[in-house]
């Protein structure tokens, strides 16, 4: 990344025609926060993404955010400039809950009492994600 290039430009370079990227793919953003140890999309055309991250300086993180199916309901698809994508990256990064150990992150994910209020709690993809996290 050059000094004049923003994080968004580094993660989403313009396509060969010089057009602004139109694909709503959050993976470059998620992977820029650290190594992804476990990840799941809960839902289909709209829902939530959950991930366990590892960063040498910050420890182990839990990230959850919602995505949609169109520019009216998806934050990344609604972005029209690199500055807006940079704002979204910062917002998502600030939403990561960091823990000093993997066990603390696992305990947080496995805490059913804390998750019961989450709309993704009863989804099968959440159960599968918990199994992935438990096996870390």
């Amino acid at each position: 990344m050059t000094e004049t290039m923003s994080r968004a430009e580094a993660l989403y370079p313009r396509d060969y025609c010089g057009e602004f990227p139109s694909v709503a793919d959050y993976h470059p953003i998620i992977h820029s926060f650290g190594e992804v140890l476990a990840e799941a999309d809960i839902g289909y055309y709209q829902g939530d993404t959950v991930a366990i991250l590892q960063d040498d300086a910050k420890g182990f993180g839990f990230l959850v955010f919602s995505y949609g199916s169109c520019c009216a309901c998806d934050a990344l698809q609604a972005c029209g400039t690199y500055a807006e994508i940079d704002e979204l990256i910062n917002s998502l990064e600030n939403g990561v809950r960091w823990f000093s150990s993997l066990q603390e992150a696992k305990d947080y994910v496995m805490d059913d009492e804390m998750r019961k209020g989450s709309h993704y709690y009863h989804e099968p993809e959440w159960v599968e994600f918990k199994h992935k996290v438990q096996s870390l």
Side-chain angles (χ1 to χ4, degrees):
M1 184 165 74
T2 67
E3 286 186 36
T4 59
M5 184 181 289
S6 72
R7 285 174 75 181
E9 290 171 298
L11 295 175
Y12 298 98
R14 294 183 185 273
D15 70 15
Y16 64 93
C17 294
E19 296 296 319
F20 188 74
S22 60
V23 177
D25 179 4
Y26 285 89
H27 289 98
I29 296 172
I30 296 167
H31 288 263
S32 76
F33 299 155
E35 180 183 354
V36 177
L37 302 179
E39 180 181 0
D41 291 325
I42 301 171
Y44 300 101
Y45 63 94
Q46 62 186 21
D48 296 287
T49 294
V50 291
I52 293 289
L53 309 166
Q54 181 178 5
D55 178 87
D56 291 338
K58 296 178 183 176
F60 297 87
F62 174 71
L63 172 66
V64 59
F65 65 90
S66 297
Y67 60 88
S69 60
C70 66
C71 63
C73 59
D74 182 84
L76 184 55
Q77 289 186 57
C79 292
T81 66
Y82 280 125
E84 290 173 348
I85 296 174
D86 279 322
E87 286 180 32
L88 176 61
I89 292 168
N90 290 334
S91 174
L92 290 173
E93 188 171 36
N94 289 334
V96 177
R97 183 173 181 134
W98 292 101
F99 301 92
S100 58
S101 73
L102 178 57
Q103 188 58 52
E104 287 177 313
K106 288 168 74 169
D107 291 345
Y108 182 78
V109 169
M110 298 302 158
D111 186 344
D112 286 336
E113 284 302 312
M114 185 177 291
R115 298 277 92 68
K116 280 186 180 178
S118 302
H119 52 277
Y120 54 81
Y121 175 76
H122 297 286
E123 298 296 328
E125 296 94 343
W126 173 250
V127 175
E128 291 170 17
F129 177 73
K130 284 177 57 175
H131 289 299
K132 286 182 194 177
V133 171
Q134 190 62 39
S135 68
L136 293 174

